[in-house]
Amino acid sequence: MNTRRDIEFSEEQQQLLEIAENFCRDKSPVAAVRTQIEVEDGFDTGIWKEMADLGWLGIAIPEEFGGSGLGMGEVVTIAEPLGRNLLATPFEATTLAAQLILDAGTDAQKSDWLPRIAEGSITALALSEEHGDWDLNHVTCEAVKNGDTLTLSGTKTLVTDAKRAEIILASVKLGGKTALVLIDRSALADSALTRETVIDETRRSFRISLDGVSVPAANVLNAAKTQSALARHHKLSCLLLSAEACGGTAACLNETLEYLTTRRQFDRFIGSYQSLKHTAVDILTGMEAARSFLYHAATVIEEEDGETAVRMAKAQSSEIFSWAGDRAIQFHGGFGFTYECDAQLYRRRAMWNTNQHGDAVYHRKRLAELLLD
Amino acid sequence: MNTRRDIEFSEEQQQLLEIAENFCRDKSPVAAVRTQIEVEDGFDTGIWKEMADLGWLGIAIPEEFGGSGLGMGEVVTIAEPLGRNLLATPFEATTLAAQLILDAGTDAQKSDWLPRIAEGSITALALSEEHGDWDLNHVTCEAVKNGDTLTLSGTKTLVTDAKRAEIILASVKLGGKTALVLIDRSALADSALTRETVIDETRRSFRISLDGVSVPAANVLNAAKTQSALARHHKLSCLLLSAEACGGTAACLNETLEYLTTRRQFDRFIGSYQSLKHTAVDILTGMEAARSFLYHAATVIEEEDGETAVRMAKAQSSEIFSWAGDRAIQFHGGFGFTYECDAQLYRRRAMWNTNQHGDAVYHRKRLAELLLD
Amino acid sequence: MSETLPDIEAFTEEVRDWVTKNKPGKQDFLLPQSFMEVGTDQQFEFLRDWQNKVYEAGYLGMSWPKEYGGRSMPQEYQDIASRELARQKTPFMVNTIGLNWAGPLILHMGSEEQKKAFIKKILSCEEIWCQGFSEPDHGSDLGNAQLKAERDGKDFICNGSKIWTSLGTYAKHMILLARTDPNTNSKYEGLTFFLNPMDIEGVDPVPIKKMTGEYGFCQTYFDNARISEDCIIGKEGEGWQVAMTTLMFERGATGGQAGGHSMMSTTIEEVIDLAKRTDRDGACSTEDPLIRDELVKLIMTSRAMGLNAARARIPALVSERPASIPMSGKLLGSEYAKKLGEVATSLQGANASYYVGDDNAIDGGRWPRGYLNAFSATIGGGTSQIQKNIIGERVLGLPKPPRTN
Amino acid sequence: MSETLPDIEAFTEEVRDWVTKNKPGKQDFLLPQSFMEVGTDQQFEFLRDWQNKVYEAGYLGMSWPKEYGGRSMPQEYQDIASRELARQKTPFMVNTIGLNWAGPLILHMGSEEQKKAFIKKILSCEEIWCQGFSEPDHGSDLGNAQLKAERDGKDFICNGSKIWTSLGTYAKHMILLARTDPNTNSKYEGLTFFLNPMDIEGVDPVPIKKMTGEYGFCQTYFDNARISEDCIIGKEGEGWQVAMTTLMFERGATGGQAGGHSMMSTTIEEVIDLAKRTDRDGACSTEDPLIRDELVKLIMTSRAMGLNAARARIPALVSERPASIPMSGKLLGSEYAKKLGEVATSLQGANASYYVGDDNAIDGGRWPRGYLNAFSATIGGGTSQIQKNIIGERVLGLPKPPRTN
């Protein structure tokens, strides 16, 4: 009869959050972020290795496959600080790929691939296509089976960190149904990858041509489990995007507050003007709501109410992160309009974040179906 | 090739507007409005007679029927000041009823009824029913024809000024189709009328039972013209409601500004605080937009673009009037919460106004059909 | 009983049973939704009896000390009881100022005599309390209180008036902020906080008509009213600090309140239910995509407040700004309640124009009335605008506007 | 020609034909949308040539005096030409500061020499103008300009820097607000307004990278730059009044500008067109009810601005606050433009993340870039927040905050 608390947060999560916060603060001050923007790979492989060594890539992978057997609630405690410090790594994609394999992989696939991921093999997700639709079943790439070999064709887009990835998990149509295929990066020629120019300059995004690529037929994930795995993938993606957005909003708000409390105009600190002060409060309360949704979603993500919870988190966090970034630019005045001002980093990140896996309007539409029908 | 101006405003309109503004200011200061709230009829019959003597009831009635043969653009110049001074009279309903008769009446009906209206016979519109739907064809009242007589049944709601009306124009189903019937008020027993309690206390609204009421069959308006007359009625109603809302918003804003420039808190005039000042500016710009839509709609109301124009006017004016009233209460602080503060008069009027003939969301939906499909 | 605490589960069940058995049925008059809306004797007496019944059953002031009328139990038990009373939509506790402001204040800093004299009667509803902070010309600016209290021997002679004294005509006591020294450097000095008896000569509460058309507030006039210095709580001249302490109880930043819910809040579930009973454009309102979006936004706001409260209980998840959630509650809750009333009203098409008193009014006209009444919370206790100043300054550390004098 | 004015209809047709025949075709580079976005020489030269062509054809500065290079015709003709240039989406007039600020100012209060020297070359685009009002530390607070100009005989020695000087590297002249007397009672005194040559020693415009990743502004450093007193416009020490006059031209409250459009504004029609080319939830975006509502709101905002302008021409319909519509134009237009970019971007689903330079970017990435660039107008020339102060104070008569010093 005890009422279940809406948010649970274990000792373990608390420790992880603290560690991750300190790690990200140390490794990714904004100057480092700007350096990585200029660097080809877009992230520091040394940092990636440290993350792997900390066991972060295996957090939600069962112990039998080399992970620590925790859950997505623990992953969130890493993703939020990463977002806060704009530390763009393949962490999210790699983690999500592992979950797809866990959900739909055959025993052999799990044994073969999960330990590699847990150790830090960068994994890229190739699920998007040129149409830009958020529906994971809207897939036009194809796979044709020929004996033990699959021959692939078509183009995947917005594949982050594909160049440095060791594994690529792609969606294709196989016999008319959406299938997930594991591709060893070495099966792709370098020329199959084209770097994309995206709004969030901390990202390294690629378009991948699958034309003529062959993979062993054994690399297809279990067809019977693919749909449920994709559904869970959508939820988990939204969860991590929400975590990233919550972290990003917090940093963006702090950056703005710093300016509002030091910049003077008309002989007053500009933060004393209500038009700025009250908006900052609106962002604060919006962010608090987003973070409450986030940790609630992290608590119930694997339960029946998980979908509702995570859609709320994504809707709220997308909207507030975008707004916080927008106001950060505006409130920095002329300086906000320059590349030098960090406000743009957050606003650009928010655009990327919002445009992944559905924006606020999209998720509210789904929520209406869940809650009103 | 000369570009037609989007808003036209004749010398005649200008004069009418001036006269009406002065008239309403003189006759309906807010103290008089509060007096009328306490009075049974809810309006001053002396003022009504003066309005009739000024020829206002016949403005849009052709000269052959005793009017002055002007158009709805001229009526708007009366309706806006009436709204501004919360002068609740049967002006709008009477004017709109005349237009329905003009549009769908037989020659005999026009000759019989229009001169009476032009002279000031109060006319009530009985078009609503208990379902509260804005669709004028959603009618459940019935008329059954028996020789030269129609026998009516059912209940009409939200009939303003029915008690003092000499003529009632009601919608009923006749042979399955919506029909409009002229009812001499004397055909109704007093007991058929029940006064309604409505949010806008300046209104006198009634529920009318038509059960057992008989009227001559000759009182039915031309069936072939009824649908187009109702469509035009909807547009004209929206036009006058928009005018009323624009006037009401202007008065409400001024009332608020008066407080903001005289009330001090924390040693400052409260209007110097940006949270109040900027909101007042938002109301101003929203009101300017509403008024521009209004006079554009008044210009083109009888043309092809009239529907689009008037829906924009209604959507914008409903929304801004409601918001202006809401903020007026809030910005008056504790005083705003009292019956004594005039803010509530505007807010209540805005609720009534918005809820007639479709709110902003409703009209934007129709606009989307007009503009995007 | 404070030694052998009942089992939580058993207690929860006990409360649930008691409430189910004892909650009042539907009345033939429209109940007010908070103590600020009590407009008739019938409403008042009904609510007073209900609070007394809840107290007698042991479900009010449970964490307050036993010696003054409480039960000295952990707050958790009261929370369970309060939640259950709210969940079953029982009437609110009418002695709100006593339970949530005066009581906690007296327990916090009152004298032993004051505790003995007042606390139990607050809980039992024998003595109603009202508040005398706001004045007609200084709404939100409490520091500018001008009601004069001039010392005359061991008494103070009071002149002036207070406004928004809910239950003023029923109250036995008022918590009163008055100016005992008009010649101070700062307006925040020279104020004194009294526990003022309402039945003395020269104190006259006059009901004010609200914009809803109903009653619920008074303006309380002081005409040479004589108050004893024994009525002071805190120290003479330090009334501002006492008032701030009191407001902390209200703004929910700290605990100490007696429990029991103080509002019969409208819920989003009720609005959804209403939506299902209304049509838009020839179909059920809940099929309209714009209405759906609006309802989902409201559901989210509602859930966010609940989840904020849950998160606020986990220190690691509120470490950056622990005051943020507690201090925002009043702002968010009051604006949400107003929005709820507004949306609910808008669902009713032309029928939204009916008001309380009309037979055709949907749900007796509670929705438009609810919207209007909701302003009491967006205005009272510090307007939403002032709440944002406070949050901006105290939680976000943003600067105040420069002092002008 | 000023004596025998052409027939309006014939003139309208003549302009239309000319524009149709002469407007430039599509370029192989993405054109900037305003003078604040000119980032490359290629863009600049193209735009300069186009303005020159329009001027030579007689469609720029038509209402300016013949003796200085204009045509002394009624404003109506210029308006027709300007509208047609905008309607056919021709490139904007790049010498914006010259045409809209410096030119009107010089005509209004310049000396005969200044008029002769500058006006024609502004129109022909032979000499580009830039503005030097804002400073790095005093963004919106023009009255606080600190760039020092110390008198030295008949010259002034200038030190300091100005920011947001668009076209700084191309400009021949700058309208410059500098502090010639640091010891005044009010910060608004002691300022002087110069028509400052950019090619003198010690003036150094350094391009600033914008958040879009492109260039378009400079910070202009003054290092012992020597300006002659002949460059003063107005009187020494009265620069504030001159600056305010100049801003009046920008804010559109008064006329006098040379005409020709200064922005290639994004239109709602383009956004609707985009919506028709994108999908949402498996159907065309224009079928999504929420998107439809958003688009209708934008159409309404767009129409309202046009209708406001039409109404502003009818004195009887703006008699209560004649300044309201003209003074709100900048606020409404700039916020609308930003919203347009934001909504347009949001229509693109996951593809909204592509940016200028990507082959997959819809319409070359103009939408997210347009959204970001739109901040130049919500920030520049007085932020939207400051615009609201100005409208609140000057149009609504609301009090300013109390002076703090």
Side-chain angles (χ1 to χ4, degrees), chain A residues 319 322-323 326-327 347 351, chain D residues 271 294 298 335-348 352 367-368 370-372 374-375:
Chain A
E319 214 157 60
S322 298
W323 178 237
D326 182 284
R327 292 298 86 188
R347 185 63 189 93
M351 284 208 230
Chain D
V271 178
E294 200 66 72
L298 288 171
E335 292 292 338
Y336 166 70
K338 185 159 77 70
K339 184 80 187 166
L340 218 49
E342 198 176 359
V343 170
T345 304
S346 79
L347 291 170
Q348 304 172 28
W367 302 106
Y371 161 72
L372 292 175
F375 281 97

mmCIF file of all heavy atoms in Angstrom, chain A residues 319 322-323 326-327 347 351, chain D residues 271 294 298 335-348 352 367-368 370-372 374-375:
data_model
loop_
_atom_site.group_PDB
_atom_site.id
_atom_site.type_symbol
_atom_site.label_atom_id
_atom_site.label_comp_id
_atom_site.label_asym_id
_atom_site.label_seq_id
_atom_site.Cartn_x
_atom_site.Cartn_y
_atom_site.Cartn_z
ATOM 1 N N GLU A 319 11.567 22.569 -25.421
ATOM 2 C CA GLU A 319 11.016 23.906 -25.499
ATOM 3 C C GLU A 319 11.792 24.875 -24.613
ATOM 4 O O GLU A 319 12.104 25.993 -25.027
ATOM 5 C CB GLU A 319 9.532 23.861 -25.085
ATOM 6 C CG GLU A 319 8.678 24.833 -25.832
ATOM 7 C CD GLU A 319 7.206 24.407 -25.830
ATOM 8 O OE1 GLU A 319 6.612 24.282 -24.744
ATOM 9 O OE2 GLU A 319 6.656 24.201 -26.907
ATOM 10 N N SER A 322 15.385 25.617 -25.981
ATOM 11 C CA SER A 322 15.334 26.541 -27.118
ATOM 12 C C SER A 322 15.084 27.969 -26.644
ATOM 13 O O SER A 322 15.727 28.913 -27.094
ATOM 14 C CB SER A 322 14.220 26.132 -28.085
ATOM 15 O OG SER A 322 14.480 24.850 -28.614
ATOM 16 N N TRP A 323 14.166 28.098 -25.735
ATOM 17 C CA TRP A 323 13.810 29.430 -25.247
ATOM 18 C C TRP A 323 14.956 30.040 -24.444
ATOM 19 O O TRP A 323 15.288 31.222 -24.588
ATOM 20 C CB TRP A 323 12.532 29.324 -24.410
ATOM 21 C CG TRP A 323 12.059 30.598 -23.791
ATOM 22 C CD1 TRP A 323 11.845 30.828 -22.470
ATOM 23 C CD2 TRP A 323 11.688 31.816 -24.457
ATOM 24 N NE1 TRP A 323 11.381 32.111 -22.285
ATOM 25 C CE2 TRP A 323 11.281 32.743 -23.469
ATOM 26 C CE3 TRP A 323 11.701 32.219 -25.797
ATOM 27 C CZ2 TRP A 323 10.876 34.042 -23.777
ATOM 28 C CZ3 TRP A 323 11.283 33.528 -26.110
ATOM 29 C CH2 TRP A 323 10.877 34.414 -25.101
ATOM 30 N N ASP A 326 17.488 31.203 -26.932
ATOM 31 C CA ASP A 326 16.992 32.391 -27.627
ATOM 32 C C ASP A 326 17.150 33.630 -26.754
ATOM 33 O O ASP A 326 17.667 34.662 -27.176
ATOM 34 C CB ASP A 326 15.516 32.152 -27.987
ATOM 35 C CG ASP A 326 14.895 33.300 -28.753
ATOM 36 O OD1 ASP A 326 14.583 34.343 -28.156
ATOM 37 O OD2 ASP A 326 14.710 33.149 -29.974
ATOM 38 N N ARG A 327 16.714 33.517 -25.517
ATOM 39 C CA ARG A 327 16.808 34.671 -24.610
ATOM 40 C C ARG A 327 18.260 34.977 -24.227
ATOM 41 O O ARG A 327 18.612 36.119 -23.965
ATOM 42 C CB ARG A 327 15.964 34.439 -23.356
ATOM 43 C CG ARG A 327 14.457 34.407 -23.601
ATOM 44 C CD ARG A 327 13.914 35.707 -24.144
ATOM 45 N NE ARG A 327 14.016 35.783 -25.581
ATOM 46 C CZ ARG A 327 13.760 36.880 -26.302
ATOM 47 N NH1 ARG A 327 13.405 37.990 -25.719
ATOM 48 N NH2 ARG A 327 13.891 36.871 -27.608
ATOM 49 N N ARG A 347 22.250 27.897 -28.124
ATOM 50 C CA ARG A 347 21.096 27.972 -29.013
ATOM 51 C C ARG A 347 21.222 26.969 -30.148
ATOM 52 O O ARG A 347 20.253 26.321 -30.554
ATOM 53 C CB ARG A 347 20.955 29.389 -29.576
ATOM 54 C CG ARG A 347 19.688 29.581 -30.419
ATOM 55 C CD ARG A 347 18.458 29.389 -29.555
ATOM 56 N NE ARG A 347 17.191 29.332 -30.269
ATOM 57 C CZ ARG A 347 16.610 28.211 -30.684
ATOM 58 N NH1 ARG A 347 17.200 27.033 -30.468
ATOM 59 N NH2 ARG A 347 15.452 28.240 -31.296
ATOM 60 N N MET A 351 18.839 23.682 -31.004
ATOM 61 C CA MET A 351 18.180 23.375 -32.278
ATOM 62 C C MET A 351 18.410 21.923 -32.651
ATOM 63 O O MET A 351 17.496 21.217 -33.054
ATOM 64 C CB MET A 351 18.716 24.287 -33.383
ATOM 65 C CG MET A 351 18.161 25.689 -33.319
ATOM 66 S SD MET A 351 18.137 26.414 -34.982
ATOM 67 C CE MET A 351 18.941 27.952 -34.630
ATOM 68 N N VAL D 271 7.146 30.968 -46.218
ATOM 69 C CA VAL D 271 7.063 29.950 -45.161
ATOM 70 C C VAL D 271 5.928 28.964 -45.461
ATOM 71 O O VAL D 271 6.071 27.756 -45.256
ATOM 72 C CB VAL D 271 6.889 30.601 -43.773
ATOM 73 C CG1 VAL D 271 6.753 29.535 -42.694
ATOM 74 C CG2 VAL D 271 8.068 31.510 -43.467
ATOM 75 N N GLU D 294 -0.436 27.843 -36.222
ATOM 76 C CA GLU D 294 0.773 28.674 -36.152
ATOM 77 C C GLU D 294 0.915 29.535 -37.411
ATOM 78 O O GLU D 294 1.236 30.724 -37.342
ATOM 79 C CB GLU D 294 1.981 27.738 -35.991
ATOM 80 C CG GLU D 294 3.227 28.364 -35.444
ATOM 81 C CD GLU D 294 3.073 28.834 -34.002
ATOM 82 O OE1 GLU D 294 3.009 27.992 -33.090
ATOM 83 O OE2 GLU D 294 3.013 30.057 -33.812
ATOM 84 N N LEU D 298 0.826 33.699 -37.946
ATOM 85 C CA LEU D 298 1.856 34.484 -38.639
ATOM 86 C C LEU D 298 1.258 35.301 -39.780
ATOM 87 O O LEU D 298 1.644 36.451 -40.005
ATOM 88 C CB LEU D 298 2.957 33.550 -39.161
ATOM 89 C CG LEU D 298 3.878 32.961 -38.098
ATOM 90 C CD1 LEU D 298 4.765 31.894 -38.701
ATOM 91 C CD2 LEU D 298 4.732 34.058 -37.458
ATOM 92 N N GLU D 335 10.426 41.248 -34.298
ATOM 93 C CA GLU D 335 10.026 40.033 -33.587
ATOM 94 C C GLU D 335 9.303 39.067 -34.530
ATOM 95 O O GLU D 335 9.466 37.849 -34.441
ATOM 96 C CB GLU D 335 9.136 40.373 -32.380
ATOM 97 C CG GLU D 335 9.868 41.111 -31.258
ATOM 98 C CD GLU D 335 10.910 40.245 -30.530
ATOM 99 O OE1 GLU D 335 10.801 39.014 -30.577
ATOM 100 O OE2 GLU D 335 11.845 40.833 -29.941
ATOM 101 N N TYR D 336 8.528 39.629 -35.418
ATOM 102 C CA TYR D 336 7.841 38.804 -36.420
ATOM 103 C C TYR D 336 8.851 38.072 -37.301
ATOM 104 O O TYR D 336 8.713 36.868 -37.553
ATOM 105 C CB TYR D 336 6.936 39.698 -37.262
ATOM 106 C CG TYR D 336 6.425 39.076 -38.539
ATOM 107 C CD1 TYR D 336 5.501 38.047 -38.525
ATOM 108 C CD2 TYR D 336 6.869 39.545 -39.781
ATOM 109 C CE1 TYR D 336 5.029 37.492 -39.704
ATOM 110 C CE2 TYR D 336 6.395 39.001 -40.968
ATOM 111 C CZ TYR D 336 5.475 37.967 -40.921
ATOM 112 O OH TYR D 336 5.009 37.422 -42.084
ATOM 113 N N ALA D 337 9.867 38.785 -37.745
ATOM 114 C CA ALA D 337 10.861 38.166 -38.624
ATOM 115 C C ALA D 337 11.559 37.007 -37.920
ATOM 116 O O ALA D 337 11.812 35.956 -38.507
ATOM 117 C CB ALA D 337 11.881 39.211 -39.082
ATOM 118 N N LYS D 338 11.835 37.197 -36.652
ATOM 119 C CA LYS D 338 12.501 36.129 -35.907
ATOM 120 C C LYS D 338 11.569 34.916 -35.779
ATOM 121 O O LYS D 338 11.974 33.770 -35.975
ATOM 122 C CB LYS D 338 12.936 36.629 -34.537
ATOM 123 C CG LYS D 338 13.748 35.603 -33.762
ATOM 124 C CD LYS D 338 14.587 36.245 -32.679
ATOM 125 C CE LYS D 338 13.774 36.610 -31.480
ATOM 126 N NZ LYS D 338 13.301 35.427 -30.729
ATOM 127 N N LYS D 339 10.331 35.187 -35.463
ATOM 128 C CA LYS D 339 9.345 34.116 -35.309
ATOM 129 C C LYS D 339 9.188 33.336 -36.622
ATOM 130 O O LYS D 339 9.078 32.111 -36.631
ATOM 131 C CB LYS D 339 8.005 34.737 -34.892
ATOM 132 C CG LYS D 339 6.918 33.743 -34.595
ATOM 133 C CD LYS D 339 7.065 33.157 -33.224
ATOM 134 C CE LYS D 339 6.071 32.036 -32.989
ATOM 135 N NZ LYS D 339 6.400 31.241 -31.825
ATOM 136 N N LEU D 340 9.166 34.081 -37.709
ATOM 137 C CA LEU D 340 9.042 33.460 -39.025
ATOM 138 C C LEU D 340 10.183 32.463 -39.247
ATOM 139 O O LEU D 340 9.970 31.329 -39.683
ATOM 140 C CB LEU D 340 9.104 34.581 -40.069
ATOM 141 C CG LEU D 340 8.242 34.540 -41.317
ATOM 142 C CD1 LEU D 340 6.793 34.234 -41.017
ATOM 143 C CD2 LEU D 340 8.341 35.885 -42.052
ATOM 144 N N GLY D 341 11.388 32.889 -38.928
ATOM 145 C CA GLY D 341 12.547 32.007 -39.096
ATOM 146 C C GLY D 341 12.448 30.794 -38.193
ATOM 147 O O GLY D 341 12.792 29.673 -38.580
ATOM 148 N N GLU D 342 11.948 31.011 -36.998
ATOM 149 C CA GLU D 342 11.855 29.926 -36.027
ATOM 150 C C GLU D 342 10.818 28.887 -36.472
ATOM 151 O O GLU D 342 11.082 27.684 -36.451
ATOM 152 C CB GLU D 342 11.469 30.533 -34.675
ATOM 153 C CG GLU D 342 11.741 29.624 -33.510
ATOM 154 C CD GLU D 342 11.416 30.317 -32.182
ATOM 155 O OE1 GLU D 342 11.004 31.495 -32.193
ATOM 156 O OE2 GLU D 342 11.576 29.656 -31.151
ATOM 157 N N VAL D 343 9.659 29.373 -36.878
ATOM 158 C CA VAL D 343 8.611 28.447 -37.314
ATOM 159 C C VAL D 343 9.058 27.716 -38.579
ATOM 160 O O VAL D 343 8.888 26.502 -38.702
ATOM 161 C CB VAL D 343 7.281 29.198 -37.549
ATOM 162 C CG1 VAL D 343 6.260 28.290 -38.222
ATOM 163 C CG2 VAL D 343 6.740 29.718 -36.229
ATOM 164 N N ALA D 344 9.642 28.452 -39.513
ATOM 165 C CA ALA D 344 10.086 27.837 -40.764
ATOM 166 C C ALA D 344 11.090 26.724 -40.477
ATOM 167 O O ALA D 344 11.028 25.636 -41.055
ATOM 168 C CB ALA D 344 10.693 28.888 -41.683
ATOM 169 N N THR D 345 11.995 26.987 -39.566
ATOM 170 C CA THR D 345 12.984 25.965 -39.219
ATOM 171 C C THR D 345 12.303 24.748 -38.618
ATOM 172 O O THR D 345 12.631 23.608 -38.964
ATOM 173 C CB THR D 345 14.020 26.554 -38.238
ATOM 174 O OG1 THR D 345 14.601 27.718 -38.839
ATOM 175 C CG2 THR D 345 15.122 25.552 -37.944
ATOM 176 N N SER D 346 11.351 25.001 -37.763
ATOM 177 C CA SER D 346 10.707 23.888 -37.051
ATOM 178 C C SER D 346 9.902 22.980 -37.980
ATOM 179 O O SER D 346 9.577 21.854 -37.619
ATOM 180 C CB SER D 346 9.783 24.421 -35.946
ATOM 181 O OG SER D 346 8.561 24.874 -36.502
ATOM 182 N N LEU D 347 9.580 23.479 -39.168
ATOM 183 C CA LEU D 347 8.813 22.659 -40.111
ATOM 184 C C LEU D 347 9.620 21.511 -40.694
ATOM 185 O O LEU D 347 9.057 20.619 -41.315
ATOM 186 C CB LEU D 347 8.317 23.531 -41.279
ATOM 187 C CG LEU D 347 7.248 24.581 -40.961
ATOM 188 C CD1 LEU D 347 7.054 25.500 -42.157
ATOM 189 C CD2 LEU D 347 5.944 23.906 -40.578
ATOM 190 N N GLN D 348 10.920 21.544 -40.515
ATOM 191 C CA GLN D 348 11.779 20.672 -41.296
ATOM 192 C C GLN D 348 12.158 19.361 -40.613
ATOM 193 O O GLN D 348 13.012 18.623 -41.111
ATOM 194 C CB GLN D 348 13.048 21.448 -41.713
ATOM 195 C CG GLN D 348 12.692 22.720 -42.476
ATOM 196 C CD GLN D 348 13.890 23.628 -42.737
ATOM 197 O OE1 GLN D 348 15.018 23.157 -42.840
ATOM 198 N NE2 GLN D 348 13.650 24.923 -42.842
ATOM 199 N N ALA D 352 15.977 20.040 -40.006
ATOM 200 C CA ALA D 352 16.190 21.417 -39.537
ATOM 201 C C ALA D 352 17.593 21.589 -38.977
ATOM 202 O O ALA D 352 18.057 22.705 -38.790
ATOM 203 C CB ALA D 352 15.154 21.778 -38.485
ATOM 204 N N TRP D 367 16.837 29.140 -43.612
ATOM 205 C CA TRP D 367 15.881 29.308 -42.510
ATOM 206 C C TRP D 367 16.532 29.408 -41.151
ATOM 207 O O TRP D 367 16.276 30.372 -40.414
ATOM 208 C CB TRP D 367 14.807 28.223 -42.583
ATOM 209 C CG TRP D 367 14.092 28.254 -43.892
ATOM 210 C CD1 TRP D 367 14.228 27.378 -44.933
ATOM 211 C CD2 TRP D 367 13.167 29.265 -44.346
ATOM 212 N NE1 TRP D 367 13.441 27.773 -45.992
ATOM 213 C CE2 TRP D 367 12.773 28.923 -45.663
ATOM 214 C CE3 TRP D 367 12.637 30.412 -43.765
ATOM 215 C CZ2 TRP D 367 11.867 29.690 -46.395
ATOM 216 C CZ3 TRP D 367 11.737 31.173 -44.488
ATOM 217 C CH2 TRP D 367 11.353 30.820 -45.791
ATOM 218 N N PRO D 368 17.374 28.438 -40.765
ATOM 219 C CA PRO D 368 18.038 28.640 -39.467
ATOM 220 C C PRO D 368 18.952 29.878 -39.475
ATOM 221 O O PRO D 368 19.017 30.609 -38.494
ATOM 222 C CB PRO D 368 18.840 27.347 -39.257
ATOM 223 C CG PRO D 368 18.847 26.643 -40.578
ATOM 224 C CD PRO D 368 17.642 27.108 -41.330
ATOM 225 N N GLY D 370 18.400 32.537 -41.179
ATOM 226 C CA GLY D 370 17.502 33.684 -41.101
ATOM 227 C C GLY D 370 17.041 33.935 -39.677
ATOM 228 O O GLY D 370 16.961 35.082 -39.222
ATOM 229 N N TYR D 371 16.736 32.848 -38.978
ATOM 230 C CA TYR D 371 16.344 32.990 -37.571
ATOM 231 C C TYR D 371 17.462 33.661 -36.771
ATOM 232 O O TYR D 371 17.225 34.612 -36.025
ATOM 233 C CB TYR D 371 16.008 31.616 -36.981
ATOM 234 C CG TYR D 371 16.037 31.567 -35.481
ATOM 235 C CD1 TYR D 371 15.050 32.185 -34.724
ATOM 236 C CD2 TYR D 371 17.073 30.920 -34.815
ATOM 237 C CE1 TYR D 371 15.095 32.156 -33.336
ATOM 238 C CE2 TYR D 371 17.125 30.885 -33.440
ATOM 239 C CZ TYR D 371 16.143 31.505 -32.698
ATOM 240 O OH TYR D 371 16.192 31.491 -31.327
ATOM 241 N N LEU D 372 18.689 33.170 -36.945
ATOM 242 C CA LEU D 372 19.801 33.747 -36.174
ATOM 243 C C LEU D 372 20.050 35.199 -36.580
ATOM 244 O O LEU D 372 20.233 36.078 -35.735
ATOM 245 C CB LEU D 372 21.067 32.906 -36.366
ATOM 246 C CG LEU D 372 21.039 31.494 -35.757
ATOM 247 C CD1 LEU D 372 22.305 30.730 -36.122
ATOM 248 C CD2 LEU D 372 20.883 31.548 -34.237
ATOM 249 N N ALA D 374 18.002 37.249 -37.633
ATOM 250 C CA ALA D 374 16.890 38.114 -37.228
ATOM 251 C C ALA D 374 17.150 38.807 -35.896
ATOM 252 O O ALA D 374 16.568 39.851 -35.599
ATOM 253 C CB ALA D 374 15.589 37.306 -37.162
ATOM 254 N N PHE D 375 18.038 38.237 -35.086
ATOM 255 C CA PHE D 375 18.371 38.900 -33.823
ATOM 256 C C PHE D 375 19.011 40.268 -34.044
ATOM 257 O O PHE D 375 18.977 41.119 -33.159
ATOM 258 C CB PHE D 375 19.328 38.044 -32.987
ATOM 259 C CG PHE D 375 18.664 36.918 -32.256
ATOM 260 C CD1 PHE D 375 18.648 35.634 -32.776
ATOM 261 C CD2 PHE D 375 18.058 37.145 -31.022
ATOM 262 C CE1 PHE D 375 18.045 34.595 -32.091
ATOM 263 C CE2 PHE D 375 17.459 36.109 -30.334
ATOM 264 C CZ PHE D 375 17.454 34.824 -30.870
#
